[in-house]
Amino acid sequence: MSVFRHLPLLLVLYGFFGFTFSSRVSITHNGYSDLVVAISPDVHPDQASDLLYNIQRIITEASADLYAATRQRSYIQSVQILIPQTWVNITANASTWETFQDAEIQIDHPNWQYGDMPYTVQLGGCGDPGQYIHWTPNYVNTFDYDTTKLQFGPAGKLFVREWARLRYGVFEEHGYTGADSAFPTFYRPGTAQQSADMVPNVCSNIPVDFTVLYGCGVDPQTGLYDSNCMYSFPDTFKPTSSILSDNRMLSSTAHFCDDDPSSLHKHNQEAPNKQNAICDTQSVWSVISKHDDFAGNNNPPATIANVIPTFNIVRVLTGARYVLVTDVSGTMGRYNRIGRLNEAARRWIKYDITEGTSLGIVKFSTSATMLSDLTVVNDNTRQQLMDEVPNRTEGNTCIGCGLQKALDMLKPDGKGGVIILVNDGLENVRPFIADLYPQLIDAKVKVVSIALGHDAETEIEVLATKTNGKSYFINDYGNDDELNDAFTGSLTYQPAVPSEELTVLLFQEKYQNGNKFEDSVFVDFTIGRNLTFRVDYTNRYFIDSFSVNSPSGQVYNQVTYDNSVKLAFIIILGLAEEGEWRFSLTVNSTYSQDYASVIVTSKSRTDSAAPITVECSVPSGTVVENAAVMPVRLVAVVTQGRNRVIGANVIAHVVRPDSADHVIKLEDNGVSADTTKNDGIYSRFYVALNIPGRYTLVCEVNSTQGTYIDDGVTIQQRTAMGNFERVQSGGAFRVEIPMSTNYPPSRVTDLKVVAMQVDQMSLTIEWTAPGDQLDVGTASAYQIKYSTTFDSLMDDNFDSSSSVQFGSQDIIDGSMQPLESGSKQRVSLRLPSTAENVTYYVALRAINNNNMASNTSNVVSVQIVRVKPPPTQPPTTTTQVPPTTSSSLTVGCDGVLTTSSGLLTSPNYPGAYINNYNCQWTIQVDPASKTNLTFSHFDIESPFDYVEVYDGSSVSATLLLKHTGSTVPSASVVSSSNVMLVRFVTDSTGNYFRGWRATYTVA
């Protein structure tokens, strides 16, 4: 099946257009104002009262913590809480500019991978702002529970951590379990900063005091603890930094790590964490200090007595407000621009704008004229508004006049609103666009710019960026579909609707120069309601017939024509069959200049599940001022609701100013342009920026044999996903200064040691190959070097004689010849012999065909020592009494938990647990109390592995629960006394299951 490669129709009701993450939050006199917390319409209103109360408690606590963490430089001054439009029983002020999709914090159902843990979606690199912070309703309403604080840390500090990711573009300073992780949970430090030979991968201002959890062993390949090992901290371990480290450190941490050698919170450059890898060993505080909020002595430390935020609860009381501001100057007559605009705008008003939206229309040439004041769109007003769309040209070009007229129309109803600005030439009459910037930004108006032809005013994309809007480019040699896409794309800013009401684009294709066209589209298991086949045409006589065949062979040929807007459609009533739907379009070939486009859309299959959707974007914005300084990152986010779609085939089409269509495969591999592996965010750099002008972006997504939705179902239980297809516009971006040379290769950020042979004095390293330019193509060579000093491998020192480069004579196995970008590379290298313990640091650079070098990779280390097995304790993070012994149990398993609340997990959770395991824990609380045990995650091999819970201190007591499989026990388990026994038994077979997690409290 072919898919139209130009700008396709956006999601009609809830746009997923590309984001330019320049937040509306501003900082003045150290206070952040207008932070938006938005609650999804999918959240039930029964939770409203508790949510609104707890949101204010969390952010009030966070404001004080932020003030301390940023060294008295910032706090939260004011917050807007946007509630769903359907929460009519909650008293709220009118929302005029706040939207769910642009909110800094979104409260919605959980992403399975994170559960109730707050997280930040980050699409960019070091210093790039994130997209939003996600909270679940359950987290907000239980944030002050002991179990929640034990699991995630204090809510205020957790907010500061996520705010640092969102606002300043920093990353976590801790490791992860799993053999595939480039950031391990343990590493061997080469400095005296730490007190043990292997330590947790965290950033701490004091030596890390820890205990390795039960079941850990030493990986003979790497000399480190195995990849699923975890640790616990004693109650006496109370570091004050870093907030970006392990959740369990948040109770005492209050600061970010710093590069300043004299700082009390010295950054740990050696730790193999994401912050060091992506930010090239810069500390979190160093990155924060360079942000515009604080650079150049902005917002210096200040003594502020009151850091309590103010809160304003708002709700959309009326529909969104739009003003169409269109150019009617003389040049709009060229290429029938005015005629094409008229047809597209009329179609948009009749079929796309939702009822209740307010629309005004302004035309501008030498001056501006209001053609229609803001009018509520309904069945009685659509035709009236359609008739006001201009279709004649006149005069010069005063864009500022049109913008001023639109502002005057929007102001009486408060801040906010959307201006759709259509332009085809340079402005030549004052006021100019730049003269209106202060008013537009203060009014919080969003501008959607539509450039008709290559000669459109260049400032309109700058305007869209400054107002958090978006941009489109319409080629004069293109077709009306591009204009349709631009108009429907503007509907992103309508009030959010429940996910089941999203209308998604499945297919779009233009047909011309032929007699009969046949094609197909797949209806997948997430869609099927309101399946619509729409035909947009330039001439009714061009269309002879149109019909659709279902997967079972049923024929639909009753076509509805609306020649007033040149549109025809077939709507499939009820629930459409899953599978391949075919359609046939027969045309009159005598009309050789005419064409038709087929567009297929649908809603979710059920009213309780979300469809698969795609966001397509250039996160850096719509204007590339200097391509050499600002590489363009292309991003597609593929999700079903909040769960991510993994393993999809994602293709980006970039049409350049010279009309060349470049095809780029986006990757979700966690390297180069893509910051996190398998998170449903597919990325790649676009390097062919050697022509100034406007570029357009379209993302096409389809399934492969390995595609799946990451919804918690284990590998063994997954069923075939079937075929799905999506297409999504990313709008346009404009390059001002093109690239005159080549880019260097991307920096390698996932270098790791996968094996070490002490007796042979060798190591094996692995990494993902960068490209010849960033992550495109194939590099020409690698420089791989080692040193006994970490600093010798830093960028400034890499070429010095203090480090040694591996040569071909050092290769034991593999190759140092670069492979194509995205390929895994592995090589075994010989180290110099030594009779003493020594730490070697290793790093690499990639060299391209122009002899340009990448920045130095992340630095890894190997320590030549005799490894001893680690001391172990049972898997719990709570305070424990010394374990007792029992001949019937695995040694070291029998622990007694005496605190009033605590956490229990299977060994290595959330990774594969141990085979042949027979372990039990006794929970013994205050004699006057009972124990309440609640499982939050459960995934073990059924029926061979199981968990038992007994109402007493031994297995002879009453059995309260015996559970296996992958479903979480539906109810908590409550003992009849103060003692409860938990037992976990596994068999000898291997497994890929994640294990279980439970918390207990006093009942």
Side-chain angles (χ1 to χ4, degrees):
M1 185 197 78
S2 59
V3 179
F4 182 44
R5 294 180 177 178
H6 297 285
L7 296 178
L9 185 67
L10 285 176
L11 299 184
V12 174
L13 293 180
Y14 187 83
F16 286 90
F17 178 86
F19 297 84
T20 304
F21 306 121
S22 51
S23 171
R24 291 294 183 100
V25 173
S26 60
I27 182 170
T28 305
H29 302 305
N30 304 93
Y32 287 113
S33 59
D34 288 335
L35 184 151
V36 177
V37 180
I39 302 171
S40 166
D42 291 328
V43 176
H44 199 278
D46 287 352
Q47 304 182 65
S49 179
D50 289 340
L51 282 173
L52 294 174
Y53 174 62
N54 287 321
I55 289 168
Q56 296 179 56
R57 293 175 63 201
I58 292 173
I59 296 181
T60 298
E61 178 184 325
S63 181
D65 289 334
L66 181 64
Y67 181 63
T70 57
R71 307 178 188 186
Q72 300 184 320
R73 285 170 167 82
S74 68
Y75 69 101
I76 307 298
Q77 186 176 56
S78 65
V79 179
Q80 311 292 321
I81 304 177
L82 176 64
I83 65 175
Q85 196 171 12
T86 53
W87 287 15
V88 294
N89 293 325
I90 302 298
T91 302
N93 296 316
S95 167
T96 59
W97 60 270
E98 304 87 351
T99 61
F100 178 82
Q101 59 269 29
D102 286 340
E104 283 71 38
I105 301 173
Q106 297 181 6
I107 299 178
D108 201 354
H109 295 314
N111 171 313
W112 174 85
Q113 190 70 24
Y114 293 95
D116 286 329
M117 177 184 289
Y119 64 91
T120 301
V121 175
Q122 294 177 273
L123 305 187
C126 186
D128 294 331
Q131 185 176 354
Y132 61 86
I133 298 170
H134 179 264
W135 287 350
T136 68
N138 189 57
Y139 169 76
V140 174
N141 285 336
T142 63
F143 81 93
D144 58 350
Y145 287 17
D146 288 342
T147 51
T148 304
K149 288 190 285 188
L150 181 68
Q151 183 177 5
F152 303 133
K157 292 175 181 176
L158 188 54
F159 172 91
V160 173
R161 184 184 74 179
E162 299 309 315
W163 179 256
R165 289 171 167 167
L166 177 77
R167 184 76 179 181
Y168 314 125
V170 298
F171 295 86
E172 55 268 36
E173 294 183 295
H174 59 80
Y176 296 93
T177 57
D180 196 38
S181 174
F183 314 114
T185 50
F186 290 90
Y187 77 106
R188 292 185 182 278
T191 67
Q193 183 181 4
Q194 303 295 347
S195 58
D197 67 338
M198 281 190 283
V199 297
N201 183 5
V202 298
C203 191
S204 169
N205 64 304
I206 59 176
V208 181
D209 190 4
F210 68 99
T211 300
V212 183
L213 295 189
Y214 180 81
C216 283
V218 174
D219 184 338
Q221 293 294 309
T222 64
L224 296 175
Y225 297 152
D226 67 65
S227 60
N228 283 317
C229 277
M230 277 301 293
Y231 50 83
S232 63
F233 300 124
D235 292 340
T236 54
F237 177 58
K238 296 186 180 298
T240 57
S241 59
S242 165
I243 289 175
L244 270 294
S245 275
D246 192 293
N247 286 348
R248 293 167 291 182
M249 295 167 60
L250 284 176
S251 59
S252 62
T253 56
H255 302 283
F256 302 110
C257 284
D258 191 355
D259 285 329
D260 186 347
S262 63
S263 173
L264 296 175
H265 311 287
K266 183 74 170 66
H267 175 58
N268 182 5
Q269 287 185 313
E270 294 185 27
N273 57 49
K274 199 168 187 177
Q275 171 66 22
N276 278 334
I278 294 181
C279 292
D280 202 6
T281 73
Q282 290 183 88
S283 71
V284 169
W285 182 248
S286 176
V287 176
I288 292 174
S289 300
K290 295 172 185 175
H291 191 274
D292 288 344
D293 292 350
F294 309 119
N297 204 34
N298 287 334
N299 298 289
T303 301
I304 300 172
N306 182 8
V307 295
I308 298 175
T310 60
F311 296 89
N312 182 29
I313 299 172
V314 297
R315 176 167 56 85
V316 176
L317 303 182
T318 58
R321 296 174 298 148
Y322 284 77
V323 180
L324 171 60
V325 178
T326 179
D327 193 343
V328 295
S329 61
T331 53
M332 285 289 289
R334 299 174 184 172
Y335 304 99
N336 192 31
R337 291 168 183 164
I338 193 71
R340 295 162 62 202
L341 168 66
N342 180 272
E343 290 179 358
R346 288 167 57 86
R347 187 181 291 129
W348 175 65
I349 293 169
K350 187 165 186 178
Y351 284 102
D352 294 331
I353 300 179
T354 56
E355 190 159 312
T357 301
S358 293
L359 174 65
I361 301 175
V362 171
K363 70 175 182 178
F364 67 87
S365 55
T366 305
S367 59
T369 303
M370 181 179 70
L371 301 177
S372 175
D373 203 349
L374 285 172
T375 302
V376 177
V377 177
N378 54 44
D379 289 342
N380 297 323
T381 60
R382 289 185 192 272
Q383 188 62 50
Q384 167 193 331
L385 288 164
M386 291 165 60
D387 293 342
E388 294 295 343
V389 178
N391 58 8
R392 293 177 180 162
T393 63
E394 59 187 33
N396 293 315
T397 306
C398 181
I399 300 175
C401 297
L403 293 171
Q404 184 65 65
K405 187 70 70 175
L407 272 174
D408 294 341
M409 295 165 63
L410 291 167
K411 277 183 180 178
D413 294 318
K415 294 187 176 183
V418 179
I419 295 174
I420 302 175
L421 175 62
V422 183
N423 163 256
D424 79 330
L426 300 178
E427 55 184 347
N428 50 30
V429 178
R430 288 190 179 276
F432 292 154
I433 292 174
D435 300 328
L436 274 293
Y437 281 148
Q439 293 184 61
L440 289 163
I441 293 170
D442 180 67
K444 297 186 183 297
V445 169
K446 293 179 183 291
V447 176
V448 177
S449 70
I450 302 177
L452 290 176
H454 290 287
D455 296 327
E457 171 61 53
T458 58
E459 196 70 16
I460 64 175
E461 284 89 8
V462 179
L463 173 62
T465 297
K466 286 182 177 291
T467 60
N468 282 6
K470 56 183 106 172
S471 296
Y472 291 93
F473 169 63
I474 313 302
N475 193 320
D476 284 323
Y477 301 99
N479 54 70
D480 288 348
D481 298 330
E482 297 167 338
L483 263 171
N484 295 339
D485 300 339
F487 275 110
T488 53
S490 69
L491 298 179
T492 300
Y493 304 116
Q494 294 186 114
V497 299
S499 56
E500 65 268 16
E501 290 303 315
L502 300 180
T503 298
V504 294
L505 177 68
L506 310 181
F507 177 94
Q508 181 165 331
E509 179 72 64
K510 174 185 174 183
Y511 299 101
Q512 190 176 22
N513 299 326
N515 296 96
K516 186 174 183 179
F517 306 96
E518 294 182 339
D519 223 322
S520 66
V521 62
F522 283 95
V523 172
D524 60 80
F525 72 98
T526 71
I527 55 172
R529 291 184 301 125
N530 296 88
L531 179 63
T532 302
F533 291 79
R534 168 173 154 177
V535 182
D536 293 352
Y537 53 82
T538 55
N539 182 349
R540 171 65 184 87
Y541 298 107
F542 180 65
I543 308 297
D544 281 344
S545 66
F546 182 65
S547 62
V548 175
N549 285 50
S550 74
S552 62
Q554 184 173 352
V555 178
Y556 298 84
N557 54 17
Q558 296 299 311
V559 184
T560 301
Y561 288 90
D562 184 350
N563 203 43
S564 68
V565 291
K566 298 183 178 179
L567 178 150
F569 54 86
I570 295 175
I571 299 177
I572 308 302
L573 300 178
L575 193 62
E577 297 175 49
E578 291 184 43
E580 185 179 20
W581 287 70
R582 301 199 63 82
F583 61 84
S584 176
L585 174 67
T586 304
V587 300
N588 188 335
S589 59
T590 60
Y591 296 93
S592 59
Q593 299 302 311
D594 289 301
Y595 58 86
S597 293
V598 176
I599 302 163
V600 185
T601 60
S602 182
K603 291 185 179 180
S604 65
R605 192 155 198 85
T606 70
D607 58 7
S608 60
I612 294 172
T613 57
V614 178
E615 303 170 16
C616 183
S617 70
V618 176
S620 56
T622 59
V623 179
V624 179
E625 294 180 2
N626 187 336
V629 176
M630 185 192 301
V632 169
R633 178 185 273 108
L634 310 178
V635 175
V637 183
V638 188
T639 57
Q640 186 204 18
R642 291 290 174 178
N643 291 325
R644 48 224 181 156
V645 177
I646 309 300
N649 180 48
V650 182
I651 301 297
H653 292 272
V654 177
V655 179
R656 303 197 326 162
D658 60 1
S659 298
D661 185 354
H662 287 187
V663 179
I664 304 101
K665 189 177 190 312
L666 307 188
E667 301 286 355
D668 186 14
N669 56 10
V671 295
S672 195
D674 192 70
T675 56
T676 304
K677 183 177 181 178
N678 287 346
D679 64 351
I681 300 173
Y682 299 76
S683 311
R684 199 151 205 165
F685 286 114
Y686 179 66
V687 300
L689 299 170
N690 54 347
I691 302 176
R694 294 178 170 98
Y695 296 66
T696 61
L697 169 65
V698 171
C699 296
E700 298 174 2
V701 182
N702 55 59
S703 55
T704 66
Q705 188 173 3
T707 304
Y708 66 95
I709 296 170
D710 189 13
D711 57 2
V713 175
T714 61
I715 296 174
Q716 292 84 352
Q717 294 172 316
R718 278 183 206 139
T719 57
M721 185 171 174
N723 293 315
F724 81 88
E725 297 168 335
R726 299 291 187 271
V727 59
Q728 184 61 51
S729 169
F733 61 92
R734 183 173 55 79
V735 174
E736 292 187 347
I737 302 176
M739 192 69 183
S740 57
T741 59
N742 288 339
Y743 292 102
S746 288
R747 176 174 178 261
V748 170
T749 58
D750 66 341
L751 181 67
K752 65 179 180 178
V753 177
V754 295
M756 181 179 68
Q757 299 294 332
V758 176
D759 55 341
Q760 298 180 16
M761 288 302 295
S762 69
L763 83 161
T764 301
I765 54 176
E766 182 183 85
W767 67 95
T768 303
D772 185 67
Q773 294 192 68
L774 300 176
D775 56 4
V776 178
T778 304
S780 61
Y782 290 118
Q783 291 178 319
I784 306 177
K785 303 187 78 173
Y786 69 90
S787 174
T788 57
T789 306
F790 181 88
D791 289 342
S792 296
L793 296 176
M794 293 292 93
D795 278 323
D796 292 342
N797 302 322
F798 191 84
D799 292 326
S800 71
S801 60
S802 58
S803 58
V804 180
Q805 183 167 332
F806 287 105
S808 57
Q809 72 279 1
D810 300 313
I811 298 174
I812 298 173
D813 189 28
S815 171
M816 291 194 290
Q817 181 62 36
L819 300 178
E820 184 180 0
S821 173
S823 304
K824 282 292 184 184
Q825 299 217 224
R826 179 178 289 201
V827 64
S828 297
L829 299 166
R830 187 175 290 105
L831 290 165
S833 299
T834 178
E836 300 180 356
N837 291 348
V838 63
T839 298
Y840 288 113
Y841 298 95
V842 181
L844 65 81
R845 282 180 174 176
I847 311 297
N848 70 8
N849 291 319
N850 290 337
N851 207 32
M852 301 174 70
S854 70
N855 287 341
T856 306
S857 72
N858 60 302
V859 180
V860 296
S861 65
V862 290
Q863 194 171 23
I864 309 300
V865 294
R866 185 178 299 277
V867 180
K868 299 179 181 179
T872 62
Q873 285 190 2
T876 177
T877 61
T878 59
T879 305
Q880 303 171 17
V881 299
T884 58
T885 59
S886 170
S887 60
S888 65
L889 300 175
T890 304
V891 175
C893 284
D894 192 15
V896 181
L897 311 176
T898 59
T899 54
S900 60
S901 63
L903 171 68
L904 277 175
T905 68
S906 55
N908 302 333
Y909 177 83
Y913 49 77
I914 300 168
N915 296 322
N916 293 318
Y917 198 60
N918 188 340
C919 190
Q920 65 187 36
W921 302 269
T922 302
I923 303 172
Q924 184 172 322
V925 297
D926 184 82
S929 303
K930 300 177 182 180
T931 300
N932 184 312
L933 183 71
T934 304
F935 290 87
S936 59
H937 295 84
F938 208 97
D939 180 29
I940 64 177
E941 185 181 22
S942 174
F944 309 107
D945 306 339
Y946 55 87
V947 174
E948 296 175 332
V949 182
Y950 292 91
D951 193 14
S953 60
S954 71
V955 294
S956 61
T958 301
L959 180 65
L960 299 176
L961 174 74
K962 183 173 182 178
H963 199 71
T964 187
S966 60
T967 60
V968 176
S970 58
S972 299
V973 185
V974 181
S975 64
S976 62
S977 69
N978 68 317
V979 181
M980 175 185 285
L981 183 78
V982 180
R983 183 184 184 212
F984 182 36
V985 178
T986 70
D987 70 355
S988 60
T989 60
N991 72 80
Y992 299 93
F993 300 89
R994 296 169 61 87
W996 53 269
R997 180 186 183 281
T999 55
Y1000 72 88
T1001 58
V1002 171

